[in-house]
Amino acid sequence: MRIVIIEDEHYTAGYLKEMILQVAPDAEVIKMLSGVTEAKAYFNVSIIPDLIFCDIHLADGSGFDIFSQSKITTPVIFVTAYDQYALQAFKANGIDYILKPFNGQSILEAINKFRVMYASRTKDLHYYGSIIESIKPPVVREPSSLLIKFGEKIKPVKIKDIAFIRTENKWVHLVTFQNEMFVYNKTLEEMEKTCGESFYRVNRQVLLNREAIGEVLQTYSRKLLVQLKVNNTPTLEINKTKMSHFLTWLSA
């Protein structure tokens, strides 16, 4: 718990610090300020504390001026010899109001009040955080393998090992880089969604893995010919309407 003390009487400031550390061993008084001007300058550039103890009557003005002319939202415990400022104190971030001469008991009660309020605020943050977590959409992980059925057997085939997918006589065939071919019971449209952006729909019959492309040639008729790394496979043709889109995908 980081605390700043604003008090222009040197003896009172030292005694207040002593009382705070005595009743709250976990507290740390990070700064002791002596007036309005010094406090304003400090809060403009320094770390905002968890709690502020502030005298109302300071040598260069009222402690209320520090908070009325700034955006400080830190809770404040006001310390004063006069009791007529209580209402004004609670309008200026005040959570408690201690009359001089103060003692350890009055300081402890004020700090305990701050702890209760701070604990409540932290609890609310955790509560709202749990709500946000609960309404987040679930993470959908793309499959890394496809399960191919052979009668009573099942063989996993990694998607990254598939060079291309093609339809032939209403059947979908998966062709791997090792030139293995498997029949799969999904449509090419479904495979396009499953395989993701590393595959490109060349035409109505072929879905191509980027890693399977060996070389791309441009013809005089403004078409692209795609030669694959897989042996004994046909050259694929990209027509001119798809050429720009295909090259953009290829360079991604």
Side-chain angles (χ1 to χ4, degrees):
M1 177 171 53
R2 297 169 303 177
I3 296 175
V4 166
I5 294 174
I6 307 172
E7 171 60 66
D8 59 346
E9 295 179 3
H10 180 73
Y11 172 80
T12 304
Y15 180 65
L16 178 57
K17 178 181 179 180
E18 181 182 339
M19 288 293 100
I20 291 171
L21 298 180
Q22 182 176 318
V23 301
D26 63 322
E28 177 188 4
V29 178
I30 60 174
K31 191 68 176 178
M32 298 176 71
L33 306 168
S34 61
V36 176
T37 302
E38 186 180 7
K40 287 181 179 180
Y42 175 81
F43 290 128
N44 280 337
V45 297
S46 301
I47 297 174
I48 301 300
D50 301 310
L51 181 62
I52 298 171
F53 279 81
C54 181
D55 190 4
I56 293 177
H57 288 277
L58 299 168
D60 60 347
S62 169
F64 294 132
D65 294 338
I66 300 169
F67 308 101
S68 63
Q69 300 172 16
S70 66
K71 296 181 179 180
I72 302 170
T73 58
T74 300
V76 182
I77 296 173
F78 286 99
V79 183
T80 182
Y82 307 93
D83 60 2
Q84 69 265 35
Y85 298 103
L87 181 59
Q88 190 175 354
F90 289 111
K91 290 182 179 180
N93 295 2
I95 63 168
D96 211 343
Y97 186 88
I98 301 175
L99 288 174
K100 296 179 181 179
F102 52 80
N103 54 39
Q105 183 61 32
S106 58
I107 298 297
L108 176 61
E109 290 174 357
I111 289 178
N112 284 342
K113 185 175 182 180
F114 163 75
R115 290 188 193 279
V116 170
M117 295 179 66
Y118 184 81
S120 175
R121 184 176 63 179
T122 303
K123 182 178 179 181
D124 288 341
L125 290 175
H126 285 307
Y127 172 70
Y128 290 118
S130 65
I131 291 178
I132 292 171
E133 287 297 322
S134 69
I135 62 176
K136 282 184 179 179
V139 177
V140 179
R141 292 182 174 83
E142 294 182 352
S144 60
S145 298
L146 303 176
L147 301 180
I148 311 298
K149 294 183 179 180
F150 293 95
E152 296 180 353
K153 297 181 180 180
I154 296 176
K155 177 182 176 64
V157 176
K158 292 185 180 298
I159 292 177
K160 66 182 181 64
D161 293 336
I162 300 172
F164 62 92
I165 305 168
R166 69 184 177 200
T167 57
E168 189 175 329
N169 297 325
K170 296 184 179 180
W171 292 96
V172 171
H173 297 91
L174 314 179
V175 181
T176 68
F177 286 94
Q178 289 73 39
N179 223 342
E180 299 174 294
M181 187 171 68
F182 305 97
V183 177
Y184 197 58
N185 61 344
K186 297 287 185 180
T187 66
L188 202 61
E189 287 73 22
E190 290 173 317
M191 295 305 303
E192 187 174 4
K193 294 178 182 178
T194 300
C195 293
E197 296 181 357
S198 59
F199 281 71
Y200 185 83
R201 184 72 175 267
V202 176
N203 49 46
R204 292 181 179 180
Q205 289 77 38
V206 178
L207 188 62
L208 178 63
N209 188 341
R210 183 187 284 110
E211 297 301 321
I213 298 173
E215 193 173 37
V216 178
L217 306 174
Q218 186 169 6
T219 67
Y220 289 109
S221 58
R222 296 189 62 192
K223 294 181 181 180
L224 298 177
L225 297 179
V226 182
Q227 296 180 346
L228 305 183
K229 298 176 182 178
V230 183
N231 295 328
N232 303 317
T233 55
T235 298
L236 301 176
E237 184 179 287
I238 308 292
N239 62 42
K240 60 183 180 181
T241 60
K242 277 195 166 186
M243 185 168 64
S244 177
H245 186 266
F246 171 79
L247 292 175
T248 300
W249 168 80
L250 187 60
S251 63

PDB file of all heavy atoms in Angstrom, residues 114-139:
ATOM      1  N   PHE A 114     -10.341   2.253   4.339  1.00  0.00           N
ATOM      2  CA  PHE A 114      -9.789   2.202   2.983  1.00  0.00           C
ATOM      3  C   PHE A 114      -9.636   0.759   2.509  1.00  0.00           C
ATOM      4  O   PHE A 114      -9.971   0.436   1.372  1.00  0.00           O
ATOM      5  CB  PHE A 114      -8.426   2.905   2.952  1.00  0.00           C
ATOM      6  CG  PHE A 114      -7.611   2.564   1.738  1.00  0.00           C
ATOM      7  CD1 PHE A 114      -7.913   3.096   0.497  1.00  0.00           C
ATOM      8  CD2 PHE A 114      -6.529   1.678   1.831  1.00  0.00           C
ATOM      9  CE1 PHE A 114      -7.164   2.769  -0.629  1.00  0.00           C
ATOM     10  CE2 PHE A 114      -5.780   1.349   0.727  1.00  0.00           C
ATOM     11  CZ  PHE A 114      -6.093   1.899  -0.517  1.00  0.00           C
ATOM     12  N   ARG A 115      -9.167  -0.125   3.384  1.00  0.00           N
ATOM     13  CA  ARG A 115      -8.964  -1.523   3.001  1.00  0.00           C
ATOM     14  C   ARG A 115     -10.286  -2.174   2.593  1.00  0.00           C
ATOM     15  O   ARG A 115     -10.341  -2.932   1.618  1.00  0.00           O
ATOM     16  CB  ARG A 115      -8.345  -2.314   4.161  1.00  0.00           C
ATOM     17  CG  ARG A 115      -6.902  -1.956   4.482  1.00  0.00           C
ATOM     18  CD  ARG A 115      -6.354  -2.941   5.498  1.00  0.00           C
ATOM     19  NE  ARG A 115      -5.108  -2.507   6.086  1.00  0.00           N
ATOM     20  CZ  ARG A 115      -3.908  -2.651   5.518  1.00  0.00           C
ATOM     21  NH1 ARG A 115      -3.811  -3.202   4.329  1.00  0.00           N
ATOM     22  NH2 ARG A 115      -2.819  -2.257   6.154  1.00  0.00           N
ATOM     23  N   VAL A 116     -11.341  -1.897   3.351  1.00  0.00           N
ATOM     24  CA  VAL A 116     -12.652  -2.467   3.031  1.00  0.00           C
ATOM     25  C   VAL A 116     -13.129  -1.985   1.661  1.00  0.00           C
ATOM     26  O   VAL A 116     -13.610  -2.758   0.843  1.00  0.00           O
ATOM     27  CB  VAL A 116     -13.685  -2.099   4.120  1.00  0.00           C
ATOM     28  CG1 VAL A 116     -15.100  -2.487   3.676  1.00  0.00           C
ATOM     29  CG2 VAL A 116     -13.336  -2.791   5.432  1.00  0.00           C
ATOM     30  N   MET A 117     -12.983  -0.692   1.417  1.00  0.00           N
ATOM     31  CA  MET A 117     -13.405  -0.130   0.131  1.00  0.00           C
ATOM     32  C   MET A 117     -12.566  -0.676  -1.013  1.00  0.00           C
ATOM     33  O   MET A 117     -13.080  -1.003  -2.079  1.00  0.00           O
ATOM     34  CB  MET A 117     -13.293   1.397   0.169  1.00  0.00           C
ATOM     35  CG  MET A 117     -14.238   2.057   1.152  1.00  0.00           C
ATOM     36  SD  MET A 117     -14.051   3.854   1.179  1.00  0.00           S
ATOM     37  CE  MET A 117     -14.609   4.267  -0.472  1.00  0.00           C
ATOM     38  N   TYR A 118     -11.255  -0.795  -0.788  1.00  0.00           N
ATOM     39  CA  TYR A 118     -10.358  -1.297  -1.830  1.00  0.00           C
ATOM     40  C   TYR A 118     -10.646  -2.757  -2.133  1.00  0.00           C
ATOM     41  O   TYR A 118     -10.671  -3.172  -3.290  1.00  0.00           O
ATOM     42  CB  TYR A 118      -8.907  -1.126  -1.396  1.00  0.00           C
ATOM     43  CG  TYR A 118      -7.902  -1.523  -2.465  1.00  0.00           C
ATOM     44  CD1 TYR A 118      -7.575  -0.647  -3.488  1.00  0.00           C
ATOM     45  CD2 TYR A 118      -7.295  -2.777  -2.449  1.00  0.00           C
ATOM     46  CE1 TYR A 118      -6.664  -1.004  -4.467  1.00  0.00           C
ATOM     47  CE2 TYR A 118      -6.396  -3.147  -3.422  1.00  0.00           C
ATOM     48  CZ  TYR A 118      -6.078  -2.255  -4.430  1.00  0.00           C
ATOM     49  OH  TYR A 118      -5.193  -2.622  -5.403  1.00  0.00           O
ATOM     50  N   ALA A 119     -10.897  -3.561  -1.088  1.00  0.00           N
ATOM     51  CA  ALA A 119     -11.206  -4.981  -1.275  1.00  0.00           C
ATOM     52  C   ALA A 119     -12.489  -5.141  -2.073  1.00  0.00           C
ATOM     53  O   ALA A 119     -12.606  -6.003  -2.937  1.00  0.00           O
ATOM     54  CB  ALA A 119     -11.323  -5.681   0.070  1.00  0.00           C
ATOM     55  N   SER A 120     -13.480  -4.285  -1.793  1.00  0.00           N
ATOM     56  CA  SER A 120     -14.751  -4.337  -2.517  1.00  0.00           C
ATOM     57  C   SER A 120     -14.545  -4.010  -3.984  1.00  0.00           C
ATOM     58  O   SER A 120     -15.096  -4.655  -4.863  1.00  0.00           O
ATOM     59  CB  SER A 120     -15.737  -3.351  -1.887  1.00  0.00           C
ATOM     60  OG  SER A 120     -16.921  -3.300  -2.630  1.00  0.00           O
ATOM     61  N   ARG A 121     -13.691  -2.991  -4.251  1.00  0.00           N
ATOM     62  CA  ARG A 121     -13.426  -2.601  -5.634  1.00  0.00           C
ATOM     63  C   ARG A 121     -12.702  -3.705  -6.385  1.00  0.00           C
ATOM     64  O   ARG A 121     -13.018  -4.013  -7.534  1.00  0.00           O
ATOM     65  CB  ARG A 121     -12.590  -1.322  -5.663  1.00  0.00           C
ATOM     66  CG  ARG A 121     -12.338  -0.790  -7.055  1.00  0.00           C
ATOM     67  CD  ARG A 121     -11.590   0.531  -7.026  1.00  0.00           C
ATOM     68  NE  ARG A 121     -10.272   0.388  -6.453  1.00  0.00           N
ATOM     69  CZ  ARG A 121      -9.414   1.403  -6.344  1.00  0.00           C
ATOM     70  NH1 ARG A 121      -9.754   2.615  -6.734  1.00  0.00           N
ATOM     71  NH2 ARG A 121      -8.213   1.203  -5.826  1.00  0.00           N
ATOM     72  N   THR A 122     -11.738  -4.350  -5.726  1.00  0.00           N
ATOM     73  CA  THR A 122     -11.000  -5.455  -6.350  1.00  0.00           C
ATOM     74  C   THR A 122     -11.917  -6.629  -6.644  1.00  0.00           C
ATOM     75  O   THR A 122     -11.832  -7.265  -7.694  1.00  0.00           O
ATOM     76  CB  THR A 122      -9.854  -5.910  -5.428  1.00  0.00           C
ATOM     77  OG1 THR A 122      -9.013  -4.803  -5.141  1.00  0.00           O
ATOM     78  CG2 THR A 122      -9.039  -7.010  -6.080  1.00  0.00           C
ATOM     79  N   LYS A 123     -12.825  -6.906  -5.704  1.00  0.00           N
ATOM     80  CA  LYS A 123     -13.787  -8.004  -5.895  1.00  0.00           C
ATOM     81  C   LYS A 123     -14.658  -7.733  -7.106  1.00  0.00           C
ATOM     82  O   LYS A 123     -14.936  -8.624  -7.909  1.00  0.00           O
ATOM     83  CB  LYS A 123     -14.636  -8.152  -4.639  1.00  0.00           C
ATOM     84  CG  LYS A 123     -15.627  -9.301  -4.705  1.00  0.00           C
ATOM     85  CD  LYS A 123     -16.407  -9.408  -3.403  1.00  0.00           C
ATOM     86  CE  LYS A 123     -17.421 -10.542  -3.479  1.00  0.00           C
ATOM     87  NZ  LYS A 123     -18.203 -10.652  -2.220  1.00  0.00           N
ATOM     88  N   ASP A 124     -15.092  -6.471  -7.266  1.00  0.00           N
ATOM     89  CA  ASP A 124     -15.927  -6.119  -8.416  1.00  0.00           C
ATOM     90  C   ASP A 124     -15.172  -6.298  -9.716  1.00  0.00           C
ATOM     91  O   ASP A 124     -15.710  -6.782 -10.709  1.00  0.00           O
ATOM     92  CB  ASP A 124     -16.402  -4.660  -8.303  1.00  0.00           C
ATOM     93  CG  ASP A 124     -17.445  -4.477  -7.213  1.00  0.00           C
ATOM     94  OD1 ASP A 124     -18.046  -5.487  -6.817  1.00  0.00           O
ATOM     95  OD2 ASP A 124     -17.656  -3.334  -6.771  1.00  0.00           O
ATOM     96  N   LEU A 125     -13.875  -5.924  -9.711  1.00  0.00           N
ATOM     97  CA  LEU A 125     -13.069  -6.081 -10.927  1.00  0.00           C
ATOM     98  C   LEU A 125     -12.945  -7.550 -11.316  1.00  0.00           C
ATOM     99  O   LEU A 125     -13.039  -7.913 -12.485  1.00  0.00           O
ATOM    100  CB  LEU A 125     -11.678  -5.464 -10.715  1.00  0.00           C
ATOM    101  CG  LEU A 125     -11.629  -3.946 -10.626  1.00  0.00           C
ATOM    102  CD1 LEU A 125     -10.219  -3.489 -10.283  1.00  0.00           C
ATOM    103  CD2 LEU A 125     -12.097  -3.309 -11.932  1.00  0.00           C
ATOM    104  N   HIS A 126     -12.727  -8.434 -10.296  1.00  0.00           N
ATOM    105  CA  HIS A 126     -12.638  -9.863 -10.573  1.00  0.00           C
ATOM    106  C   HIS A 126     -13.970 -10.396 -11.092  1.00  0.00           C
ATOM    107  O   HIS A 126     -14.026 -11.236 -11.984  1.00  0.00           O
ATOM    108  CB  HIS A 126     -12.236 -10.623  -9.311  1.00  0.00           C
ATOM    109  CG  HIS A 126     -10.794 -10.467  -8.956  1.00  0.00           C
ATOM    110  ND1 HIS A 126      -9.778 -10.731  -9.849  1.00  0.00           N
ATOM    111  CD2 HIS A 126     -10.193 -10.057  -7.811  1.00  0.00           C
ATOM    112  CE1 HIS A 126      -8.611 -10.501  -9.266  1.00  0.00           C
ATOM    113  NE2 HIS A 126      -8.837 -10.091  -8.033  1.00  0.00           N
ATOM    114  N   TYR A 127     -15.073  -9.875 -10.518  1.00  0.00           N
ATOM    115  CA  TYR A 127     -16.404 -10.334 -10.921  1.00  0.00           C
ATOM    116  C   TYR A 127     -16.667  -9.977 -12.385  1.00  0.00           C
ATOM    117  O   TYR A 127     -17.074 -10.818 -13.180  1.00  0.00           O
ATOM    118  CB  TYR A 127     -17.460  -9.691 -10.017  1.00  0.00           C
ATOM    119  CG  TYR A 127     -18.882  -9.935 -10.466  1.00  0.00           C
ATOM    120  CD1 TYR A 127     -19.450 -11.205 -10.370  1.00  0.00           C
ATOM    121  CD2 TYR A 127     -19.641  -8.896 -10.988  1.00  0.00           C
ATOM    122  CE1 TYR A 127     -20.750 -11.425 -10.783  1.00  0.00           C
ATOM    123  CE2 TYR A 127     -20.939  -9.117 -11.403  1.00  0.00           C
ATOM    124  CZ  TYR A 127     -21.491 -10.380 -11.294  1.00  0.00           C
ATOM    125  OH  TYR A 127     -22.771 -10.597 -11.716  1.00  0.00           O
ATOM    126  N   TYR A 128     -16.416  -8.701 -12.725  1.00  0.00           N
ATOM    127  CA  TYR A 128     -16.664  -8.295 -14.104  1.00  0.00           C
ATOM    128  C   TYR A 128     -15.683  -8.968 -15.064  1.00  0.00           C
ATOM    129  O   TYR A 128     -16.017  -9.268 -16.210  1.00  0.00           O
ATOM    130  CB  TYR A 128     -16.576  -6.773 -14.236  1.00  0.00           C
ATOM    131  CG  TYR A 128     -17.720  -6.062 -13.557  1.00  0.00           C
ATOM    132  CD1 TYR A 128     -17.501  -5.174 -12.501  1.00  0.00           C
ATOM    133  CD2 TYR A 128     -19.036  -6.309 -13.940  1.00  0.00           C
ATOM    134  CE1 TYR A 128     -18.559  -4.550 -11.862  1.00  0.00           C
ATOM    135  CE2 TYR A 128     -20.101  -5.681 -13.308  1.00  0.00           C
ATOM    136  CZ  TYR A 128     -19.850  -4.803 -12.268  1.00  0.00           C
ATOM    137  OH  TYR A 128     -20.880  -4.196 -11.644  1.00  0.00           O
ATOM    138  N   GLY A 129     -14.464  -9.219 -14.577  1.00  0.00           N
ATOM    139  CA  GLY A 129     -13.501  -9.932 -15.417  1.00  0.00           C
ATOM    140  C   GLY A 129     -13.975 -11.337 -15.734  1.00  0.00           C
ATOM    141  O   GLY A 129     -13.825 -11.828 -16.857  1.00  0.00           O
ATOM    142  N   SER A 130     -14.592 -12.014 -14.734  1.00  0.00           N
ATOM    143  CA  SER A 130     -15.093 -13.372 -14.970  1.00  0.00           C
ATOM    144  C   SER A 130     -16.254 -13.374 -15.946  1.00  0.00           C
ATOM    145  O   SER A 130     -16.418 -14.303 -16.737  1.00  0.00           O
ATOM    146  CB  SER A 130     -15.520 -14.011 -13.643  1.00  0.00           C
ATOM    147  OG  SER A 130     -16.624 -13.329 -13.084  1.00  0.00           O
ATOM    148  N   ILE A 131     -17.074 -12.309 -15.915  1.00  0.00           N
ATOM    149  CA  ILE A 131     -18.174 -12.205 -16.869  1.00  0.00           C
ATOM    150  C   ILE A 131     -17.638 -12.063 -18.288  1.00  0.00           C
ATOM    151  O   ILE A 131     -18.097 -12.717 -19.230  1.00  0.00           O
ATOM    152  CB  ILE A 131     -19.083 -11.005 -16.529  1.00  0.00           C
ATOM    153  CG1 ILE A 131     -19.835 -11.270 -15.225  1.00  0.00           C
ATOM    154  CG2 ILE A 131     -20.069 -10.727 -17.655  1.00  0.00           C
ATOM    155  CD1 ILE A 131     -20.708 -10.124 -14.784  1.00  0.00           C
ATOM    156  N   ILE A 132     -16.623 -11.206 -18.452  1.00  0.00           N
ATOM    157  CA  ILE A 132     -16.031 -11.004 -19.779  1.00  0.00           C
ATOM    158  C   ILE A 132     -15.455 -12.300 -20.312  1.00  0.00           C
ATOM    159  O   ILE A 132     -15.604 -12.646 -21.485  1.00  0.00           O
ATOM    160  CB  ILE A 132     -14.948  -9.905 -19.712  1.00  0.00           C
ATOM    161  CG1 ILE A 132     -15.614  -8.556 -19.420  1.00  0.00           C
ATOM    162  CG2 ILE A 132     -14.149  -9.838 -21.009  1.00  0.00           C
ATOM    163  CD1 ILE A 132     -14.631  -7.444 -19.127  1.00  0.00           C
ATOM    164  N   GLU A 133     -14.764 -13.047 -19.427  1.00  0.00           N
ATOM    165  CA  GLU A 133     -14.189 -14.327 -19.846  1.00  0.00           C
ATOM    166  C   GLU A 133     -15.273 -15.310 -20.262  1.00  0.00           C
ATOM    167  O   GLU A 133     -15.112 -16.066 -21.219  1.00  0.00           O
ATOM    168  CB  GLU A 133     -13.362 -14.936 -18.703  1.00  0.00           C
ATOM    169  CG  GLU A 133     -12.047 -14.237 -18.445  1.00  0.00           C
ATOM    170  CD  GLU A 133     -11.099 -14.328 -19.627  1.00  0.00           C
ATOM    171  OE1 GLU A 133     -11.079 -15.395 -20.277  1.00  0.00           O
ATOM    172  OE2 GLU A 133     -10.410 -13.348 -19.899  1.00  0.00           O
ATOM    173  N   SER A 134     -16.426 -15.286 -19.559  1.00  0.00           N
ATOM    174  CA  SER A 134     -17.483 -16.256 -19.834  1.00  0.00           C
ATOM    175  C   SER A 134     -18.176 -16.002 -21.160  1.00  0.00           C
ATOM    176  O   SER A 134     -18.751 -16.918 -21.747  1.00  0.00           O
ATOM    177  CB  SER A 134     -18.517 -16.246 -18.700  1.00  0.00           C
ATOM    178  OG  SER A 134     -19.247 -15.033 -18.687  1.00  0.00           O
ATOM    179  N   ILE A 135     -18.155 -14.734 -21.651  1.00  0.00           N
ATOM    180  CA  ILE A 135     -18.852 -14.441 -22.901  1.00  0.00           C
ATOM    181  C   ILE A 135     -17.904 -14.422 -24.107  1.00  0.00           C
ATOM    182  O   ILE A 135     -18.336 -14.177 -25.221  1.00  0.00           O
ATOM    183  CB  ILE A 135     -19.591 -13.095 -22.814  1.00  0.00           C
ATOM    184  CG1 ILE A 135     -18.618 -11.935 -22.592  1.00  0.00           C
ATOM    185  CG2 ILE A 135     -20.658 -13.121 -21.734  1.00  0.00           C
ATOM    186  CD1 ILE A 135     -19.283 -10.564 -22.584  1.00  0.00           C
ATOM    187  N   LYS A 136     -16.637 -14.688 -23.873  1.00  0.00           N
ATOM    188  CA  LYS A 136     -15.715 -14.789 -25.002  1.00  0.00           C
ATOM    189  C   LYS A 136     -16.079 -15.994 -25.852  1.00  0.00           C
ATOM    190  O   LYS A 136     -16.412 -17.053 -25.323  1.00  0.00           O
ATOM    191  CB  LYS A 136     -14.268 -14.947 -24.507  1.00  0.00           C
ATOM    192  CG  LYS A 136     -13.624 -13.655 -24.044  1.00  0.00           C
ATOM    193  CD  LYS A 136     -12.174 -13.911 -23.677  1.00  0.00           C
ATOM    194  CE  LYS A 136     -11.491 -12.631 -23.238  1.00  0.00           C
ATOM    195  NZ  LYS A 136     -10.075 -12.883 -22.867  1.00  0.00           N
ATOM    196  N   PRO A 137     -16.029 -15.870 -27.175  1.00  0.00           N
ATOM    197  CA  PRO A 137     -16.325 -17.026 -28.019  1.00  0.00           C
ATOM    198  C   PRO A 137     -15.282 -18.114 -27.824  1.00  0.00           C
ATOM    199  O   PRO A 137     -14.110 -17.814 -27.574  1.00  0.00           O
ATOM    200  CB  PRO A 137     -16.262 -16.450 -29.442  1.00  0.00           C
ATOM    201  CG  PRO A 137     -15.403 -15.234 -29.325  1.00  0.00           C
ATOM    202  CD  PRO A 137     -15.666 -14.681 -27.950  1.00  0.00           C
ATOM    203  N   PRO A 138     -15.665 -19.380 -27.892  1.00  0.00           N
ATOM    204  CA  PRO A 138     -14.702 -20.463 -27.711  1.00  0.00           C
ATOM    205  C   PRO A 138     -13.658 -20.462 -28.817  1.00  0.00           C
ATOM    206  O   PRO A 138     -13.940 -20.090 -29.958  1.00  0.00           O
ATOM    207  CB  PRO A 138     -15.577 -21.729 -27.774  1.00  0.00           C
ATOM    208  CG  PRO A 138     -16.783 -21.311 -28.545  1.00  0.00           C
ATOM    209  CD  PRO A 138     -17.022 -19.862 -28.186  1.00  0.00           C
ATOM    210  N   VAL A 139     -12.457 -20.848 -28.468  1.00  0.00           N
ATOM    211  CA  VAL A 139     -11.385 -20.934 -29.454  1.00  0.00           C
ATOM    212  C   VAL A 139     -11.588 -22.179 -30.319  1.00  0.00           C
ATOM    213  O   VAL A 139     -11.681 -23.300 -29.813  1.00  0.00           O
ATOM    214  CB  VAL A 139     -10.002 -21.003 -28.761  1.00  0.00           C
ATOM    215  CG1 VAL A 139      -8.889 -21.155 -29.792  1.00  0.00           C
ATOM    216  CG2 VAL A 139      -9.791 -19.758 -27.910  1.00  0.00           C
TER     217      VAL A 139
END
